[in-house]
Amino acid sequence: FRLARRTICSFSKRIQRGMHMKRRDFLGRAGAGALIGGGMLAGCSQSDAPGPAGSTAPAAAAKTIHWKMVTTWPKNFPGLGTGANNLARLIGELSGGRLQVKVFGAGELVPAMQVFDAVSQGTAELGHGAAYYWKGKTPTAQFFAAVPFGLTAQEMNAWLYHGGGLELWREVYEPFGLVPAAAGNSGVQMAGWFNREINELADLQGLKMRIPGLGGEVLQRAGGTPVQMPGGEIFTSLQSGAIDATEWVGPYNDLAFGLHKAAKYYYYPGWHEPGTTLEGLVNRAALERLPADLQSIVMNACRVVNEDMLAEYTARNKDALQTLVNEHQVDVRRLPEAVLARLRTLSEEAVAEIGGSDTLSGKVFDSFSRFRSQVEAWQDISERAYLNVRGAGA
């Protein structure tokens, strides 16, 4: 009887702590309604709660842990900002409320471009952004966001999860006290919004364009002037003429920013960002202070958000594109083949230079390049072949 009472009390306490079993489920499964109705639970004492294995010591009440997340995105911005919100929500839900994360948009706690330092220094335990923003810290980081003419979203996930990419990413960030994780992907982006036509390579000469990462390096080699700025500053800069062009993401986010009101031409394809991985940045010391199950929850929540964001972008971009074209008469154009060919050559040069800068960069470059070459052979007879056939029959 005492054993039965202890078992029932244990289940009751788990229910009260907000764990997964609802009271009616317990009653139905355990058949203990009569015992509970007779006041069994009222007689439960702290000593009835199971302690550690082999011990009868009382179990300590679970302590709620509070974390801060800083992001490079405007607060609640569709896709990117809401992706960070979803990550925080998911961590809270999966932990049963034991780990609560408060999200701060760009500029609320730290400026957008200081997220890396804030998490590294412990000002916040979590960050959400994109690795190419941190090329000033380590140029190699750019491989883990987007490489011009590089990997698509599907291919990036394959390299990170099953091709050794994630281990290399963690090795690059280890000196900064950070643990990175893929935490979103936009898919193939648009080439951007331009206030001048791009008919030949010469049209890129002197072009002031907001474009981060390796894409900016390639533009500079093509004669343009890359400008790095957070998303919240793009519209006014483009509208005022401070920049001549901008890339942001794609129709879903570009429509939300109203970029069609500030530029005339919308070019594709997004040669510079073929599958941009967004990152979750975790302060290593804070992560290691968590019990093992919460550590696993944080890292796997990033993985869930990584997959979900890509699905959201695929769904939302198609609708936003129709709105831009049909309601706002946006002029959507393809970049000329000669321009793309030159950008491809310049991209290969820029990426190879980073790969040759030091030993670790060389490891990342070799792994990335080898994976791209091998996966391309498969994509030629799978995804690309299928899409070409489907398009031909449209």
Side-chain angles (χ1 to χ4, degrees), residues 273-353:
E273 298 195 39
T276 307
T277 296
L278 290 313
E279 67 179 359
L281 283 170
V282 191
N283 178 277
R284 178 180 293 279
L287 183 67
E288 292 177 348
R289 284 195 294 268
L290 296 177
D293 64 326
L294 291 186
Q295 292 185 35
S296 180
I297 283 170
V298 170
M299 303 313 294
N300 281 289
C302 288
R303 189 160 180 162
V304 171
V305 170
N306 186 46
E307 297 292 336
D308 183 69
M309 188 184 291
L310 178 61
E312 179 183 7
Y313 269 102
T314 303
R316 304 299 182 220
N317 276 330
K318 67 176 179 59
D319 296 332
L321 179 62
Q322 293 301 311
T323 299
L324 288 169
V325 172
N326 297 331
E327 296 184 20
H328 301 294
Q329 290 73 52
V330 167
D331 189 351
V332 180
R333 298 187 177 190
R334 179 181 171 85
L335 286 171
E337 289 299 329
V339 172
L340 288 169
R342 181 57 179 162
L343 292 173
R344 184 182 297 109
T345 299
L346 294 173
S347 296
E348 296 292 341
E349 294 174 1
V351 173
E353 282 187 16

Side-chain angles (χ1 to χ4, degrees), residues 66-227:
H66 295 275
W67 275 15
K68 296 185 287 293
M69 181 198 298
V70 289
T71 81
T72 60
W73 322 118
K75 184 74 170 180
N76 300 321
F77 189 73
L80 302 173
T82 56
N85 294 345
N86 289 340
L87 176 58
R89 175 187 55 78
L90 193 59
I91 290 172
E93 290 178 356
L94 292 175
S95 67
R98 292 159 58 205
L99 179 55
Q100 298 288 333
V101 180
K102 183 175 181 178
V103 180
F104 296 86
E108 287 192 314
L109 188 61
V110 298
M113 296 301 130
Q114 291 182 19
V115 165
F116 187 96
D117 286 338
V119 181
S120 177
Q121 296 165 5
T123 302
E125 293 80 8
L126 267 174
H128 195 270
Y132 51 37
Y133 290 146
W134 325 128
K135 67 177 184 178
K137 301 292 182 182
T138 169
T140 315
Q142 297 170 100
F143 281 97
F144 305 103
V147 172
F149 300 95
L151 300 177
T152 66
Q154 181 179 351
E155 293 166 347
M156 277 292 290
N157 286 337
W159 178 55
L160 291 173
Y161 295 141
H162 298 287
L166 186 56
E167 290 77 10
L168 289 169
W169 195 0
R170 289 174 176 170
E171 187 175 352
V172 171
Y173 279 22
E174 195 277 335
F176 302 96
L178 295 170
V179 180
N185 201 300
S186 65
V188 181
Q189 298 194 3
M190 290 290 285
W193 297 87
F194 293 73
N195 273 321
R196 68 169 72 164
E197 293 185 75
I198 306 299
N199 296 314
E200 56 186 0
L201 193 66
D203 293 323
L204 297 178
Q205 296 293 318
L207 182 82
K208 293 178 296 182
M209 181 175 182
R210 184 272 180 191
I211 179 170
L214 283 163
E217 171 66 23
V218 174
L219 176 68
Q220 187 170 29
R221 292 174 183 232
T225 302
V227 178

Side-chain angles (χ1 to χ4, degrees), residues 242-292:
I243 55 176
D244 305 308
T246 185
E247 66 80 46
W248 179 226
V249 183
Y252 179 34
N253 287 155
D254 296 358
L255 178 63
F257 263 171
L259 297 181
H260 59 282
K261 301 175 184 177
K264 187 173 182 179
Y265 306 105
Y266 199 24
Y267 278 95
Y268 72 95
W271 57 273
H272 62 303
E273 298 195 39
T276 307
T277 296
L278 290 313
E279 67 179 359
L281 283 170
V282 191
N283 178 277
R284 178 180 293 279
L287 183 67
E288 292 177 348
R289 284 195 294 268
L290 296 177

